[in-house]
Every structure is written in C-alpha cells, then in structure tokens.
Amino acid sequence: SIQHTAYSMAAAALMAANNRVHNEGPQVSDNRKTFMGVDQDGSGSISQLELTAAMRARGMDPSEKEIEELVARFDADGSGGIDYKEFNELMDMKQRQHESDNSFLAPISKGSMLNDLLNTGVMAAVIGGFALGNLQSWDPEQATNINIAIYMMNVLAVHANTCSSLASALLYMVVNNLVEEKAEEWRKTNPWKTLMMFPTPKFVMGTAFYLFGVLLLSWRDMDVKNMGTWQYVALGIGAGSVAMVITTASIVAWGMSKTRQMSGEEALDDALHGVDSGG
C-alpha cells in the first residue's frame, strides 16, 4: 500500500540520518540523535519538508501524498509535524517490522489454525484409543502397585487426549466459520485466545502419560527370569521416548512463541494503536 511503502522509505531514511550527527555525547539515545539529524531547524518537530529532504538524501523519491499520509499517521497532536514522542512511535514500529521481516514464522491464518486443530485432534484420538485399549486388560484381582500405576497412567492419557480431541473438534467448527480476513484478529481475542491454547498441551500431556504407562507395562511384563538385561533395555527405550516428547514439546513451544511475520498493514495498525493510546 502507499502508506506501507511511505513508512518503509521514511523509516529507512530516518534511521540513516543518525550517521550525520557526530557531536552528541554518549548520553544521547540513538533515536534522539536520528531525530536531531532530520530536524534541521531545531524546532523540535520534523516537518513534511524535512522528512522529504531526509528521504531524498537517501535516493528516495516519495510523492507529496505519501509524505502527507505518513505524517498524518504519526502526528497524534495535529501539529502538522512529527515531534520526538511521535517519532519514537515510528521508530518502534520500524523495530517491530524488522523483527517481523526476519521471522521464520508465517502470519496466523485461518488455514494454519484449521490444519493445527485437525492434526492435533486426530493424533489425540489415536493415542487416546491406544491408552483405552490398555485399560481393557485391567484385572482387579491383580491390583499390585505397578498395575495400579499402569492403569492410572492410561486413565490420565485417555482423559487428556479425549479432551484435546473434543476441544480441537469444537474449535475447528468455530474457525471454519470465520471470515478469512478476520481470522488473525479473532485469534488474539479472549476467550478464543485462551481456548486455542488448550488442545496441544493436553495432547502432549496425554501422550507422555501413555508412554509412561507403556514404560511401566514393559517393565512389569519383562520382570521374569533371564529377562533382566532386556528389562533394562525396555526401560531405557521407554524413558527415552518420554524424554523426547517432553523435550520436543518444549522446543516447539519456545519456537512458536517467537515473533511472526506481519500480514498486510498489521504493523501500521499496531503502531497507530500505540499512538492513540499513548498520545
């Protein structure tokens, strides 16, 4: 869009203007130095002419309309120029866009949410079914400590995975009825923001309980003569599987918490919200 293009051009020029200011002490912030480099007349406000000059000094050729729209975006007090507070909003927006542009994560979309919910729901149902099968072999007359532990691990696995699968199915129905353009905004509002966080952790917990139950099951069944070595091999394999699930889930959660690329004019809207609320 014109606004996004103008913003990108202006922010680049303003950041580069810092190179023209050399005599300020280290106590002056980078943003302040950049601001002073563009505010040539020292008025405390960057005018449209000064902004145009800064951009043209960088080899850019913004139109008068682009400059007017850019200044209007950040001129919260209606002074006709960009003061230092408003300038900081613009630079914060540049930083957010930079983080977004360098992100490996795509923007949230209706399609990505549907895929995640479908994948989680189906896999949770499968693992829950495995755990339910283990429950059917329960014999009350053999209620030893290890058998009770195996039973309880599978009970927890069934409940966690069933909750995950059901929550995924219900949320899938809601997301499937969303307007495509509103999906990302919807994802950030409660209660949906909170509800969308439930299916995956429950699936991970249910899978961990199931694997721990299998670990105990293999330990019990191999606790016979001449099986000592294999019993410990099975224990090692089971412990490794549980550790892998927990480790992978933790790394994925960390990775998915990183900044996503912004779609459309999300960065501009975000910056404008900051101007409106803070100015």
Side-chain angles (χ1 to χ4, degrees), residues 5-184:
T5 301
Y7 157 70
S8 300
M9 294 167 66
L14 292 171
M15 290 291 282
N18 182 40
N19 296 329
R20 300 201 301 270
V21 182
H22 303 287
N23 299 321
E24 302 300 325
Q27 73 278 8
V28 180
S29 69
D30 289 341
N31 278 6
R32 173 65 75 177
K33 290 180 181 180
T34 305
F35 181 81
M36 295 172 66
V38 180
D39 180 24
Q40 295 294 318
D41 60 7
S43 65
S45 177
I46 298 174
S47 67
Q48 293 185 23
L49 288 176
E50 289 171 332
L51 182 55
T52 302
M55 296 174 70
R56 287 179 176 169
R58 291 286 296 170
M60 306 172 189
D61 188 24
S63 68
E64 183 177 347
K65 183 178 180 180
E66 288 174 332
I67 293 295
E68 289 177 353
E69 291 187 351
L70 178 67
V71 172
R73 281 274 184 170
F74 292 93
D75 181 20
D77 59 8
S79 65
I82 302 176
D83 62 26
Y84 182 60
K85 182 178 180 180
E86 295 160 349
F87 172 79
N88 273 328
E89 293 287 347
L90 190 152
M91 302 311 286
D92 288 345
M93 178 180 163
K94 175 63 177 176
Q95 179 61 31
R96 286 192 292 272
Q97 185 188 2
H98 175 74
E99 292 174 357
S100 169
D101 291 344
N102 286 278
S103 174
F104 291 103
L105 297 178
I108 294 173
S109 67
K110 179 178 177 179
S112 66
M113 288 191 287
L114 289 174
N115 287 336
D116 289 345
L117 290 170
L118 180 62
N119 177 63
T120 302
V122 170
M123 292 307 300
V126 170
I127 300 299
F130 291 161
L132 183 61
N134 288 339
L135 290 178
Q136 294 173 351
S137 63
W138 169 252
D139 183 357
E141 295 183 358
Q142 298 181 358
T144 60
N145 287 336
I146 192 169
N147 283 338
I148 293 173
I150 292 170
Y151 186 85
M152 290 307 302
M153 287 297 104
N154 283 284
V155 166
L156 292 170
V158 169
H159 279 289
N161 281 296
T162 300
C163 287
S164 174
S165 186
L166 179 59
S168 296
L170 294 174
L171 288 168
Y172 187 98
M173 179 177 63
V174 176
V175 174
N176 197 41
N177 283 278
L178 291 177
V179 176
E180 178 70 43
E181 293 75 15
K182 297 289 186 179
E184 188 171 11

Side-chain angles (χ1 to χ4, degrees), residues 191-212:
W192 310 112
K193 178 181 179 180
T194 302
L195 290 174
M196 287 291 288
M197 293 190 296
F198 285 164
T200 301
K202 282 187 171 291
F203 166 59
V204 173
M205 289 170 54
T207 301
F209 285 133
Y210 168 71
L211 289 174
F212 195 68

Side-chain angles (χ1 to χ4, degrees), residues 219-275:
W219 178 264
R220 182 201 66 187
D221 290 349
M222 301 188 77
D223 188 18
V224 294
K225 186 177 180 180
N226 298 325
M227 294 292 288
T229 300
W230 291 109
Q231 186 181 29
Y232 283 99
V233 169
L235 177 65
I237 294 173
S241 295
V242 174
M244 184 193 70
V245 167
I246 296 174
T247 301
T248 303
S250 299
I251 293 174
V252 169
W254 170 78
M256 294 296 287
S257 68
K258 299 297 183 180
T259 301
R260 289 179 174 271
Q261 288 192 356
M262 295 182 181
S263 59
E265 293 191 351
E266 182 186 4
L268 285 169
D269 293 337
D270 181 49
L272 278 178
H273 179 75
V275 172

